[in-house]
Amino acid sequence: MEANSSLSITHLIFNASFLVQVVMLFLLGLSVVSWTIIFAKSSSYKNARIKADDFEEKFWSGIDLNNLYNDCIKRSSELLGLEVIFSAGFKEFVRLINSGPADQEVVMDGTYRQMKVSQSREMENLEGHLSTLATIGSISPYIGLFGTVWGIMHAFIALAAVKNATLSMVAPPIAEALIATAMGLFAAIPAVMFYNRFVTKVEALENRYINFMDEFATILNRRLVRVRSEMNQKNEVNTVNSQNQSYPHANSTVHSTAQDDSASHLRSRLSQNQSSTDRVTYHTPGVEGDRLRSSVRNTNFH
């Protein structure tokens, strides 16, 4: 009974050498930090995934993007992930459009850059403290091994002064030292396991954010093409009208008729395009979005 009591874990810890006890206490602190990060990150990634699911469902429902943007502005302090990327990109797109005539490539490049900045900041938040988790997983076994080596060395030095060493004399100090290795593994194994799991989740969210940026940029680019086409057709109509006014009515019957026909045709085209544009103004393609997303993802995969 006395031997079992003397070899209990509690007894061995409290009777270990001072340095080994310091190593054990340090490893216990690392384990607490590790599990705190694990619980916090698990909740954070789960929340990010749920937020992304909800936003994508709303985004691809065919909602008016102006209304979606206004809704995001009202919840500016609660935005996360895709909502932040969408708000930044749409705000920059509208700002560039309203700033005056600009090349289409310039508008889309500025919009995508702004989304990229927001995406990078979101990734920084997701990757926060992962390096700490990786460090704990890497160094904990070596710290525990250091405590073990020191404890065994201290035990053998103490036994050197004894003429007749027995197993009962050697076992307790060696057991004390080995507890440090066990605590090092206790801190390292969960840290390494959850670090690898979290890295996989971060990569999945990053790919999801990048795919959304490409999809959203495609929608905005298509909208910008329609706006440019509409503006060009208006300019053509204005040019035709000015040419009609420059010809004398009495001496240009043929030209006037031809110009009137041309203007009428352009107005008809403009009216059709205008009504079509009004129906899809800043709207996501809804069901069409599924095909668009599949196409973009296949392109990115290859």
Side-chain angles (χ1 to χ4, degrees):
M1 294 294 293
E2 293 181 359
N4 293 335
S5 176
S6 63
L7 290 177
S8 66
I9 295 178
T10 303
H11 177 80
L12 293 174
I13 291 176
F14 284 103
N15 286 275
S17 63
F18 175 75
L19 183 60
V20 175
Q21 288 181 339
V22 171
V23 169
M24 292 179 182
L25 183 62
F26 183 67
L27 289 172
L28 180 62
L30 291 181
S31 179
V32 172
V33 172
S34 174
W35 281 104
T36 301
I37 295 175
I38 288 171
F39 285 119
K41 284 298 177 182
S42 296
S43 177
S44 176
Y45 296 146
K46 181 179 179 180
N47 188 36
R49 181 179 57 82
I50 293 175
K51 285 271 191 179
D53 291 339
D54 293 341
F55 180 79
E56 280 196 330
E57 182 178 358
K58 184 184 299 183
F59 181 84
W60 293 107
S61 65
I63 188 174
D64 184 351
L65 297 186
N66 294 287
N67 295 336
L68 183 58
Y69 175 73
N70 291 332
D71 179 65
C72 290
I73 293 300
K74 295 177 182 178
R75 300 181 296 103
S76 57
S77 60
E78 304 174 2
L79 299 184
L80 181 68
L82 293 181
E83 295 175 328
V84 176
I85 297 172
F86 163 77
S87 298
F90 191 77
K91 180 179 180 180
E92 183 67 12
F93 177 78
V94 174
R95 187 184 69 82
L96 292 173
I97 291 295
N98 294 336
S99 63
D103 185 72
Q104 179 175 347
E105 184 176 352
V106 173
V107 174
M108 295 309 305
D109 183 65
T111 301
Y112 197 86
R113 285 178 181 273
Q114 190 63 35
M115 289 193 292
K116 185 64 177 178
V117 170
S118 299
Q119 184 258 349
S120 297
R121 291 173 179 170
E122 290 300 304
M123 294 310 302
E124 288 180 1
N125 294 333
L126 291 174
E127 294 173 350
H129 301 300
L130 285 185
S131 59
T132 302
L133 206 60
T135 302
I136 292 174
S138 299
I139 68 174
S140 293
Y142 297 103
I143 295 175
L145 183 61
F146 169 75
T148 298
V149 171
W150 181 269
I152 292 175
M153 181 180 66
H154 183 74
F156 279 120
I157 292 175
L159 290 173
V162 180
K163 293 183 179 180
N164 297 320
T166 62
L167 183 61
S168 61
M169 298 176 61
V170 177
I174 293 179
E176 294 170 3
L178 291 175
I179 291 177
T181 298
M183 293 187 67
L185 295 175
F186 177 77
I189 292 174
V192 173
M193 182 178 68
F194 280 97
Y195 171 78
N196 293 330
R197 183 176 181 181
F198 290 159
V199 167
T200 302
K201 290 186 176 182
V202 169
E203 290 178 352
L205 286 171
E206 182 179 13
N207 292 333
R208 194 168 184 177
Y209 292 167
I210 293 175
N211 288 338
F212 173 79
M213 290 165 54
D214 292 337
E215 295 162 355
F216 187 38
T218 301
I219 293 173
L220 293 180
N221 186 61
R222 184 167 60 245
R223 167 60 186 164
L224 187 57
V225 169
R226 292 194 177 188
V227 171
R228 299 297 182 186
S229 176
E230 176 186 339
M231 292 175 62
N232 291 335
Q233 291 179 4
K234 285 183 178 180
N235 292 334
E236 290 179 8
V237 171
N238 293 334
T239 301
V240 171
N241 290 335
S242 63
Q243 290 178 353
N244 288 341
Q245 294 176 0
S246 65
Y247 287 108
H249 178 71
N251 298 325
S252 57
T253 303
V254 176
H255 291 283
S256 178
T257 302
Q259 295 295 342
D260 289 343
D261 291 341
S262 177
S264 177
H265 177 67
L266 288 173
R267 291 192 188 96
S268 176
R269 288 171 53 195
L270 179 60
S271 177
Q272 293 176 358
N273 290 333
Q274 180 64 34
S275 61
S276 175
T277 303
D278 291 340
R279 289 195 301 270
V280 295
T281 300
Y282 295 115
H283 281 62
T284 50
V287 178
E288 180 187 348
D290 294 334
R291 295 191 295 270
L292 175 62
R293 296 169 67 188
S294 298
S295 176
V296 173
R297 286 170 180 167
N298 291 334
T299 303
N300 292 336
F301 177 79
H302 293 294

